[in-house]
Amino acid sequence: MRRWYALLAALALLASPALGAAPVTLTLLHFNDDYQLGAVDQGKAGGLDRLATVVKRVRQTDPEAMLLFAGDLISPSVESSVFKGAQLIDGFNRLGVDAATPGNHEFDYGPQVLQQRLAESRFPWVVTNVLRRDFSRLPGTHLVLTRTVRGIPVGIFGLLTTETAIASSPGPDILFLDEVGAARAAVPLLRRRGARVVIGLTHVSMATDQAVARAVPGIAVIVGGHEHEPLRAMVDGTLIRKAGSDARYLGVIRLTVAPDGATLNVTDELIPITDQIPPDPAMAALVQQYAARLSRELDVVVARTQVPLDARNATVRARESNLGNLIADIMRAAVGADVAITNGGGIRTNALFPAGPITRRDVLAWLPFGNIVVKIRITGATLRAALENGVSQVENLSGRFPQVSGLRYTFSPGRPPGQRILEVTVDGRPLDPQATYTVATNDFMLNGGDGYSMLRDAEVLVSPASGPVMATAVIEALQRMQTVAPQVEGRIQVAP
């Protein structure tokens, strides 16, 4: 790592240009974590066609406004299970992105797919702390970027969370270096290259962004991603701003700087991208083009089932389902957990699916909510409490009923709620209330949905920002398996 920092320092060769005379206001547009071309929230929010309209409006009055993307587009989404992120690279090329940093999901399909997407990009990618094992930069990326905006030399460095090494599939030849150390090396390098304003473009947690701002002086603004909610912080004079996810907002930062680059004023806002914004015609045509292709691809067979798959409410909300077993097994494997638990109400169609071909469209019918697989660590006592909640309203066919993998449980619906779980075993051994277990579940349950409030305080190992969409995980697992024949195995026993 010291060798890499020394190499960065050795690159600092360019002299600073002559200073200008008057303060200048720079406009930074930003968004992050955008997983699909079209609108979200039942069409009420987002959509690259609406975002393009707002970007064009800003650039009509400020042609040099910089559009920055703070990572995560290749995965996960149903679109990307088909197009592997190519649809968003196409959209970003047309949108006029000025710089992007990769997110952890850029590595989900492995290094070869990432290299293909980088090669297709007509905009620059910058990441300072991701290198190959020989300490060369990742092909298709820059360690740092410099460009002149309104006469002011602006430098950009990029950071990606080191969790990507275990949360995604970067392969064995990629190094993820300490984020703070990389920023410490990048800022003086950019200064020596002439940058008077330095911007961090990051895909790390807010806590890491704040640590960078505290440890590294001279950063005017950090434009971030990774968290999916709009976030803002001011640390030692450095603004940190994140714009949510799926183009629900366009962030706008206006930075007024003195000729020497000193920050005189900074303002920021989020512009909601709603269905009240008319779509940009050219981008709308692209969105519709991919939507039509996706519709055709959804009818493509991904696997075959040798047995009927039971998605009937009377099954998934009251007893063991072979489809519930299949989904829970895939969730557990997707994040490498000891066990999995998922709410039966998240499995839809209320139908018995016949033996035969399974299409992508079938999987989306079973799992329509866009829930994300997460991984948590909890005690055996908390796991038992989660199962108690799951069976507490079984007589009403409540959606909280737990379909499971890696464990077996027996419950009695005749006993009072909270006292219905009679026995739980994990890997053939009785559940230990004091031991800890890793659990694959979904983000809805992690947030306390369906009464699973006991999971809210769990230690999160794979967050909603890092986990796969349930439907995508199932589609990709079925493609690998090709043929399935899940059985009812006695994972859930009903006692009198």
Side-chain angles (χ1 to χ4, degrees):
M1 191 178 296
R2 282 193 292 270
R3 175 192 167 198
W4 175 75
Y5 292 149
L7 286 173
L8 268 186
L11 289 171
L13 301 175
L14 299 183
S16 298
L19 296 179
V24 170
T25 297
L26 308 178
T27 301
L28 311 178
L29 309 178
H30 64 98
F31 66 119
N32 56 276
D33 297 84
D34 190 28
Y35 301 108
Q36 63 185 59
L37 284 171
V40 295
D41 302 339
Q42 292 78 50
K44 298 291 186 182
L48 238 59
D49 48 358
R50 299 168 183 162
L51 186 74
T53 295
V54 180
V55 170
K56 285 185 175 181
R57 286 175 180 171
V58 175
R59 284 176 165 165
Q60 284 174 353
T61 57
D62 189 350
E64 294 190 70
M66 296 177 64
L67 179 59
L68 307 176
F69 179 72
D72 268 9
L73 63 86
I74 287 179
S75 168
S77 69
V78 174
E79 280 184 6
S80 285
S81 72
V82 175
F83 304 121
K84 301 296 187 289
Q87 79 284 4
L88 283 165
I89 297 295
D90 200 351
F92 282 24
N93 284 340
R94 299 171 190 233
L95 191 61
V97 171
D98 290 291
T101 200
N104 51 288
H105 282 299
E106 266 57 277
F107 293 85
D108 282 0
Y109 295 115
Q112 290 185 333
V113 170
L114 174 57
Q115 287 303 309
Q116 187 176 353
R117 298 291 88 84
L118 294 175
E120 293 164 354
S121 301
R122 298 200 299 268
F123 52 89
W125 292 84
V126 56
V127 61
T128 313
N129 70 320
V130 180
L131 302 168
R132 296 195 296 189
R133 290 264 170 204
D134 63 0
F135 289 93
S136 62
R137 63 181 174 81
L138 189 66
T141 70
H142 302 263
L143 290 176
V144 294
L145 283 175
T146 56
R147 61 171 297 178
T148 299
V149 182
R150 303 196 67 188
I152 296 289
V154 176
I156 302 173
F157 67 90
L159 299 177
L160 173 57
T161 174
T162 56
E163 294 175 357
T164 305
I166 57 173
S168 191
S169 303
D173 297 326
I174 303 298
L175 293 173
F176 296 89
L177 305 182
D178 173 69
E179 300 98 327
V180 174
R184 280 196 179 114
V187 172
L189 168 62
L190 287 165
R191 292 294 187 194
R192 291 188 180 99
R193 286 191 171 186
R196 292 185 225 156
V197 175
V198 175
I199 297 166
L201 185 57
T202 70
H203 194 88
V204 301
S205 69
M206 174 58 88
T208 301
D209 279 324
Q210 291 173 321
V212 168
R214 283 192 295 267
V216 185
I219 304 171
V221 173
I222 294 176
V223 172
H226 197 42
E227 285 97 346
H228 290 183
E229 298 299 323
L231 296 175
R232 184 186 191 278
M234 185 70 77
V235 177
D236 294 340
T238 298
L239 172 68
I240 305 169
R241 200 58 159 113
K242 310 192 184 205
S245 63
D246 287 313
R248 290 179 174 88
Y249 299 95
L250 177 68
V252 182
I253 299 170
R254 291 186 171 88
L255 183 68
T256 301
V257 296
D260 64 356
T263 298
L264 301 177
N265 188 47
V266 60
T267 64
D268 62 283
E269 64 174 319
L270 294 179
I271 299 176
I273 307 300
T274 72
D275 55 1
Q276 300 304 303
I277 296 171
D280 173 73
M283 191 67 78
L286 182 74
V287 172
Q288 290 304 313
Q289 172 191 329
Y290 276 101
R293 287 178 58 187
L294 179 63
S295 182
R296 293 191 297 270
E297 291 287 347
L298 289 180
D299 291 322
V300 170
V301 173
V302 294
R304 299 184 68 85
T305 176
Q306 295 178 337
V307 298
L309 302 175
D310 199 343
R312 293 174 294 184
N313 288 350
T315 304
V316 296
R317 295 168 179 246
R319 58 182 186 270
E320 182 181 352
S321 157
N322 67 339
L323 179 58
N325 288 349
L326 177 65
I327 292 169
D329 285 347
I330 290 171
M331 292 172 64
R332 181 161 69 106
V335 293
D338 298 327
V339 302
I341 173 171
T342 193
N343 55 321
I347 302 172
R348 312 300 278 198
T349 71
N350 191 24
L352 188 66
F353 187 84
I358 304 171
T359 67
R360 292 188 181 99
R361 196 180 300 277
D362 295 324
V363 178
L364 289 177
W366 296 329
L367 301 169
F369 297 117
N371 292 133
I372 297 170
V373 183
V374 298
K375 180 180 179 180
I376 59 177
R377 182 181 284 119
I378 57 176
T379 65
T382 301
L383 179 54
R384 186 183 185 99
L387 294 172
E388 283 283 11
N389 171 70
V391 301
S392 64
Q393 298 181 20
V394 64
E395 61 272 20
N396 300 324
L397 295 183
S398 170
R400 68 186 62 195
F401 186 83
Q403 298 292 325
V404 298
S405 173
L407 67 84
R408 294 172 181 257
Y409 70 91
T410 302
F411 77 100
S412 172
R415 295 172 64 112
Q419 303 175 32
R420 291 179 171 179
I421 295 294
L422 305 180
E423 182 182 18
V424 184
T425 61
V426 176
D427 196 23
R429 293 186 291 273
L431 183 73
D432 182 348
Q434 304 303 318
T436 59
Y437 301 87
T438 58
V439 181
T441 187
N442 63 67
D443 59 329
F444 172 71
M445 294 168 62
L446 175 63
N447 291 327
D450 267 347
Y452 284 94
S453 58
M454 71 292 299
L455 302 182
R456 286 179 180 156
D457 296 325
E459 179 187 0
V460 178
L461 304 177
V462 176
S463 72
S466 299
V469 173
M470 285 178 66
T472 303
V474 170
I475 288 169
E476 292 174 356
L478 290 174
Q479 288 174 320
R480 292 190 295 270
M481 292 186 282
Q482 289 296 294
T483 302
V484 297
Q487 304 295 316
V488 172
E489 305 169 348
R491 299 182 188 186
I492 303 172
Q493 298 284 341
V494 183

